PDB file of all heavy atoms in Angstrom:
ATOM      1  N   ARG A 304     -64.257 156.387  89.971  1.00  0.00           N
ATOM      2  CA  ARG A 304     -63.874 157.837  90.134  1.00  0.00           C
ATOM      3  C   ARG A 304     -62.712 158.008  91.191  1.00  0.00           C
ATOM      4  O   ARG A 304     -62.014 158.979  91.276  1.00  0.00           O
ATOM      5  CB  ARG A 304     -65.066 158.572  90.668  1.00  0.00           C
ATOM      6  CG  ARG A 304     -66.110 158.787  89.545  1.00  0.00           C
ATOM      7  CD  ARG A 304     -67.410 159.488  90.084  1.00  0.00           C
ATOM      8  NE  ARG A 304     -68.082 158.749  91.034  1.00  0.00           N
ATOM      9  CZ  ARG A 304     -68.267 159.007  92.235  1.00  0.00           C
ATOM     10  NH1 ARG A 304     -67.724 160.130  92.715  1.00  0.00           N
ATOM     11  NH2 ARG A 304     -68.883 158.299  93.077  1.00  0.00           N
ATOM     12  N   PHE A 305     -62.536 157.005  92.004  1.00  0.00           N
ATOM     13  CA  PHE A 305     -61.578 157.050  93.074  1.00  0.00           C
ATOM     14  C   PHE A 305     -60.208 156.249  92.633  1.00  0.00           C
ATOM     15  O   PHE A 305     -60.311 155.374  92.027  1.00  0.00           O
ATOM     16  CB  PHE A 305     -62.080 156.372  94.250  1.00  0.00           C
ATOM     17  CG  PHE A 305     -63.114 157.168  95.048  1.00  0.00           C
ATOM     18  CD1 PHE A 305     -63.798 158.241  94.371  1.00  0.00           C
ATOM     19  CD2 PHE A 305     -63.701 156.744  96.251  1.00  0.00           C
ATOM     20  CE1 PHE A 305     -64.840 158.976  95.031  1.00  0.00           C
ATOM     21  CE2 PHE A 305     -64.666 157.471  96.903  1.00  0.00           C
ATOM     22  CZ  PHE A 305     -65.314 158.488  96.214  1.00  0.00           C
ATOM     23  N   PRO A 306     -59.122 156.845  93.029  1.00  0.00           N
ATOM     24  CA  PRO A 306     -57.819 156.230  92.598  1.00  0.00           C
ATOM     25  C   PRO A 306     -57.485 155.019  93.555  1.00  0.00           C
ATOM     26  O   PRO A 306     -56.472 155.100  94.278  1.00  0.00           O
ATOM     27  CB  PRO A 306     -56.857 157.377  92.863  1.00  0.00           C
ATOM     28  CG  PRO A 306     -57.429 158.157  94.024  1.00  0.00           C
ATOM     29  CD  PRO A 306     -58.955 158.082  93.810  1.00  0.00           C
ATOM     30  N   ILE A 307     -58.150 154.031  93.231  1.00  0.00           N
ATOM     31  CA  ILE A 307     -57.964 152.785  94.060  1.00  0.00           C
ATOM     32  C   ILE A 307     -56.977 151.782  93.297  1.00  0.00           C
ATOM     33  O   ILE A 307     -57.019 151.762  92.009  1.00  0.00           O
ATOM     34  CB  ILE A 307     -59.317 152.077  94.278  1.00  0.00           C
ATOM     35  CG1 ILE A 307     -60.283 152.935  95.075  1.00  0.00           C
ATOM     36  CG2 ILE A 307     -59.086 150.685  94.944  1.00  0.00           C
ATOM     37  CD1 ILE A 307     -59.784 153.252  96.467  1.00  0.00           C
ATOM     38  N   ASP A 308     -56.163 151.101  93.980  1.00  0.00           N
ATOM     39  CA  ASP A 308     -55.252 150.189  93.342  1.00  0.00           C
ATOM     40  C   ASP A 308     -55.608 148.652  93.519  1.00  0.00           C
ATOM     41  O   ASP A 308     -55.328 147.787  92.723  1.00  0.00           O
ATOM     42  CB  ASP A 308     -53.808 150.281  93.811  1.00  0.00           C
ATOM     43  CG  ASP A 308     -53.288 151.721  93.783  1.00  0.00           C
ATOM     44  OD1 ASP A 308     -53.069 152.094  92.622  1.00  0.00           O
ATOM     45  OD2 ASP A 308     -53.306 152.490  94.829  1.00  0.00           O
ATOM     46  N   VAL A 309     -56.260 148.391  94.639  1.00  0.00           N
ATOM     47  CA  VAL A 309     -56.398 146.917  95.026  1.00  0.00           C
ATOM     48  C   VAL A 309     -57.726 146.708  95.643  1.00  0.00           C
ATOM     49  O   VAL A 309     -58.201 147.560  96.429  1.00  0.00           O
ATOM     50  CB  VAL A 309     -55.412 146.510  96.069  1.00  0.00           C
ATOM     51  CG1 VAL A 309     -55.495 145.048  96.431  1.00  0.00           C
ATOM     52  CG2 VAL A 309     -53.937 146.817  95.518  1.00  0.00           C
ATOM     53  N   LEU A 310     -58.479 145.624  95.205  1.00  0.00           N
ATOM     54  CA  LEU A 310     -59.591 145.243  95.992  1.00  0.00           C
ATOM     55  C   LEU A 310     -59.243 143.989  96.822  1.00  0.00           C
ATOM     56  O   LEU A 310     -58.603 143.020  96.404  1.00  0.00           O
ATOM     57  CB  LEU A 310     -60.713 144.837  94.989  1.00  0.00           C
ATOM     58  CG  LEU A 310     -61.367 145.825  93.996  1.00  0.00           C
ATOM     59  CD1 LEU A 310     -62.557 145.276  93.221  1.00  0.00           C
ATOM     60  CD2 LEU A 310     -61.677 147.218  94.846  1.00  0.00           C
ATOM     61  N   LYS A 311     -59.671 143.962  98.095  1.00  0.00           N
ATOM     62  CA  LYS A 311     -59.523 142.873  98.993  1.00  0.00           C
ATOM     63  C   LYS A 311     -60.828 142.140  99.113  1.00  0.00           C
ATOM     64  O   LYS A 311     -61.761 142.606  99.708  1.00  0.00           O
ATOM     65  CB  LYS A 311     -58.941 143.373 100.304  1.00  0.00           C
ATOM     66  CG  LYS A 311     -57.625 143.992 100.251  1.00  0.00           C
ATOM     67  CD  LYS A 311     -56.876 144.098 101.738  1.00  0.00           C
ATOM     68  CE  LYS A 311     -56.489 142.803 102.191  1.00  0.00           C
ATOM     69  NZ  LYS A 311     -55.867 142.875 103.626  1.00  0.00           N
ATOM     70  N   ILE A 312     -60.972 140.945  98.561  1.00  0.00           N
ATOM     71  CA  ILE A 312     -62.280 140.183  98.604  1.00  0.00           C
ATOM     72  C   ILE A 312     -62.528 139.751 100.108  1.00  0.00           C
ATOM     73  O   ILE A 312     -61.581 139.050 100.690  1.00  0.00           O
ATOM     74  CB  ILE A 312     -62.241 138.975  97.690  1.00  0.00           C
ATOM     75  CG1 ILE A 312     -61.856 139.353  96.347  1.00  0.00           C
ATOM     76  CG2 ILE A 312     -63.499 138.243  97.845  1.00  0.00           C
ATOM     77  CD1 ILE A 312     -61.746 138.191  95.405  1.00  0.00           C
ATOM     78  N   ASP A 313     -63.576 140.155 100.784  1.00  0.00           N
ATOM     79  CA  ASP A 313     -63.849 139.801 102.052  1.00  0.00           C
ATOM     80  C   ASP A 313     -63.824 138.294 102.227  1.00  0.00           C
ATOM     81  O   ASP A 313     -64.340 137.560 101.437  1.00  0.00           O
ATOM     82  CB  ASP A 313     -65.224 140.357 102.561  1.00  0.00           C
ATOM     83  CG  ASP A 313     -65.428 140.288 104.005  1.00  0.00           C
ATOM     84  OD1 ASP A 313     -64.588 140.904 104.751  1.00  0.00           O
ATOM     85  OD2 ASP A 313     -66.195 139.441 104.435  1.00  0.00           O
ATOM     86  N   ARG A 314     -63.411 137.863 103.457  1.00  0.00           N
ATOM     87  CA  ARG A 314     -63.273 136.383 103.704  1.00  0.00           C
ATOM     88  C   ARG A 314     -64.570 135.770 103.797  1.00  0.00           C
ATOM     89  O   ARG A 314     -64.682 134.505 103.654  1.00  0.00           O
ATOM     90  CB  ARG A 314     -62.483 136.253 104.943  1.00  0.00           C
ATOM     91  CG  ARG A 314     -62.980 136.582 106.210  1.00  0.00           C
ATOM     92  CD  ARG A 314     -62.180 136.097 107.376  1.00  0.00           C
ATOM     93  NE  ARG A 314     -62.679 136.370 108.646  1.00  0.00           N
ATOM     94  CZ  ARG A 314     -62.285 137.471 109.346  1.00  0.00           C
ATOM     95  NH1 ARG A 314     -61.348 138.265 108.999  1.00  0.00           N
ATOM     96  NH2 ARG A 314     -62.807 137.726 110.466  1.00  0.00           N
ATOM     97  N   SER A 315     -65.737 136.525 104.008  1.00  0.00           N
ATOM     98  CA  SER A 315     -66.986 135.843 104.080  1.00  0.00           C
ATOM     99  C   SER A 315     -67.365 135.169 102.707  1.00  0.00           C
ATOM    100  O   SER A 315     -68.098 134.152 102.737  1.00  0.00           O
ATOM    101  CB  SER A 315     -68.067 136.834 104.537  1.00  0.00           C
ATOM    102  OG  SER A 315     -68.252 137.894 103.641  1.00  0.00           O
ATOM    103  N   PHE A 316     -66.915 135.824 101.654  1.00  0.00           N
ATOM    104  CA  PHE A 316     -67.192 135.259 100.249  1.00  0.00           C
ATOM    105  C   PHE A 316     -66.298 134.102 100.007  1.00  0.00           C
ATOM    106  O   PHE A 316     -66.649 133.202  99.149  1.00  0.00           O
ATOM    107  CB  PHE A 316     -67.028 136.281  99.171  1.00  0.00           C
ATOM    108  CG  PHE A 316     -67.884 137.529  99.447  1.00  0.00           C
ATOM    109  CD1 PHE A 316     -67.355 138.828  99.546  1.00  0.00           C
ATOM    110  CD2 PHE A 316     -69.235 137.423  99.415  1.00  0.00           C
ATOM    111  CE1 PHE A 316     -68.170 139.884  99.697  1.00  0.00           C
ATOM    112  CE2 PHE A 316     -70.097 138.430  99.578  1.00  0.00           C
ATOM    113  CZ  PHE A 316     -69.624 139.725  99.747  1.00  0.00           C
ATOM    114  N   VAL A 317     -65.074 134.173 100.581  1.00  0.00           N
ATOM    115  CA  VAL A 317     -64.034 133.096 100.312  1.00  0.00           C
ATOM    116  C   VAL A 317     -64.418 131.811 100.964  1.00  0.00           C
ATOM    117  O   VAL A 317     -64.149 130.791 100.469  1.00  0.00           O
ATOM    118  CB  VAL A 317     -62.687 133.631 100.666  1.00  0.00           C
ATOM    119  CG1 VAL A 317     -61.598 132.493 100.479  1.00  0.00           C
ATOM    120  CG2 VAL A 317     -62.307 134.807  99.831  1.00  0.00           C
ATOM    121  N   ALA A 318     -65.013 131.920 102.098  1.00  0.00           N
ATOM    122  CA  ALA A 318     -65.164 130.732 103.014  1.00  0.00           C
ATOM    123  C   ALA A 318     -65.892 129.532 102.323  1.00  0.00           C
ATOM    124  O   ALA A 318     -65.327 128.430 102.487  1.00  0.00           O
ATOM    125  CB  ALA A 318     -65.953 131.152 104.315  1.00  0.00           C
ATOM    126  N   ASP A 319     -66.902 129.744 101.502  1.00  0.00           N
ATOM    127  CA  ASP A 319     -67.598 128.606 100.971  1.00  0.00           C
ATOM    128  C   ASP A 319     -67.394 128.538  99.352  1.00  0.00           C
ATOM    129  O   ASP A 319     -68.206 127.927  98.775  1.00  0.00           O
ATOM    130  CB  ASP A 319     -69.179 128.798 101.249  1.00  0.00           C
ATOM    131  CG  ASP A 319     -69.381 128.488 102.742  1.00  0.00           C
ATOM    132  OD1 ASP A 319     -68.647 127.620 103.304  1.00  0.00           O
ATOM    133  OD2 ASP A 319     -70.379 129.037 103.347  1.00  0.00           O
ATOM    134  N   ILE A 320     -66.334 129.146  98.984  1.00  0.00           N
ATOM    135  CA  ILE A 320     -66.115 129.263  97.580  1.00  0.00           C
ATOM    136  C   ILE A 320     -66.179 128.001  96.725  1.00  0.00           C
ATOM    137  O   ILE A 320     -66.632 127.893  95.681  1.00  0.00           O
ATOM    138  CB  ILE A 320     -64.805 130.084  97.352  1.00  0.00           C
ATOM    139  CG1 ILE A 320     -64.690 130.690  95.992  1.00  0.00           C
ATOM    140  CG2 ILE A 320     -63.677 129.231  97.556  1.00  0.00           C
ATOM    141  CD1 ILE A 320     -63.240 131.329  95.779  1.00  0.00           C
ATOM    142  N   THR A 321     -65.724 126.958  97.461  1.00  0.00           N
ATOM    143  CA  THR A 321     -65.736 125.633  96.769  1.00  0.00           C
ATOM    144  C   THR A 321     -66.920 124.851  96.890  1.00  0.00           C
ATOM    145  O   THR A 321     -67.119 123.680  96.471  1.00  0.00           O
ATOM    146  CB  THR A 321     -64.484 124.858  97.209  1.00  0.00           C
ATOM    147  OG1 THR A 321     -64.435 124.732  98.526  1.00  0.00           O
ATOM    148  CG2 THR A 321     -63.076 125.490  96.749  1.00  0.00           C
ATOM    149  N   HIS A 322     -67.823 125.267  97.723  1.00  0.00           N
ATOM    150  CA  HIS A 322     -69.186 124.619  97.982  1.00  0.00           C
ATOM    151  C   HIS A 322     -70.406 125.449  97.599  1.00  0.00           C
ATOM    152  O   HIS A 322     -71.447 124.744  97.323  1.00  0.00           O
ATOM    153  CB  HIS A 322     -69.289 124.107  99.422  1.00  0.00           C
ATOM    154  CG  HIS A 322     -68.125 123.264  99.967  1.00  0.00           C
ATOM    155  ND1 HIS A 322     -67.015 123.826 100.728  1.00  0.00           N
ATOM    156  CD2 HIS A 322     -67.862 122.088  99.712  1.00  0.00           C
ATOM    157  CE1 HIS A 322     -66.174 122.747 100.971  1.00  0.00           C
ATOM    158  NE2 HIS A 322     -66.665 121.736 100.290  1.00  0.00           N
ATOM    159  N   ASP A 323     -70.253 126.640  97.603  1.00  0.00           N
ATOM    160  CA  ASP A 323     -71.477 127.473  97.336  1.00  0.00           C
ATOM    161  C   ASP A 323     -71.326 128.157  95.998  1.00  0.00           C
ATOM    162  O   ASP A 323     -70.420 129.073  95.849  1.00  0.00           O
ATOM    163  CB  ASP A 323     -71.611 128.512  98.499  1.00  0.00           C
ATOM    164  CG  ASP A 323     -72.866 129.246  98.415  1.00  0.00           C
ATOM    165  OD1 ASP A 323     -73.164 129.906  97.363  1.00  0.00           O
ATOM    166  OD2 ASP A 323     -73.629 129.404  99.386  1.00  0.00           O
ATOM    167  N   ALA A 324     -72.265 127.863  95.108  1.00  0.00           N
ATOM    168  CA  ALA A 324     -72.117 128.462  93.761  1.00  0.00           C
ATOM    169  C   ALA A 324     -72.310 129.896  93.780  1.00  0.00           C
ATOM    170  O   ALA A 324     -71.651 130.579  92.857  1.00  0.00           O
ATOM    171  CB  ALA A 324     -73.235 127.719  92.752  1.00  0.00           C
TER     172      ALA A 324
END
Side-chain angles (χ1 to χ4, degrees):
R304 290 179 292 116
F305 290 8
I307 300 299
D308 304 288
V309 180
L310 298 186
K311 297 192 76 180
I312 305 175
D313 190 70
R314 66 170 184 264
S315 61
F316 300 121
V317 174
D319 288 327
I320 198 180
T321 52
H322 300 107
D323 184 309

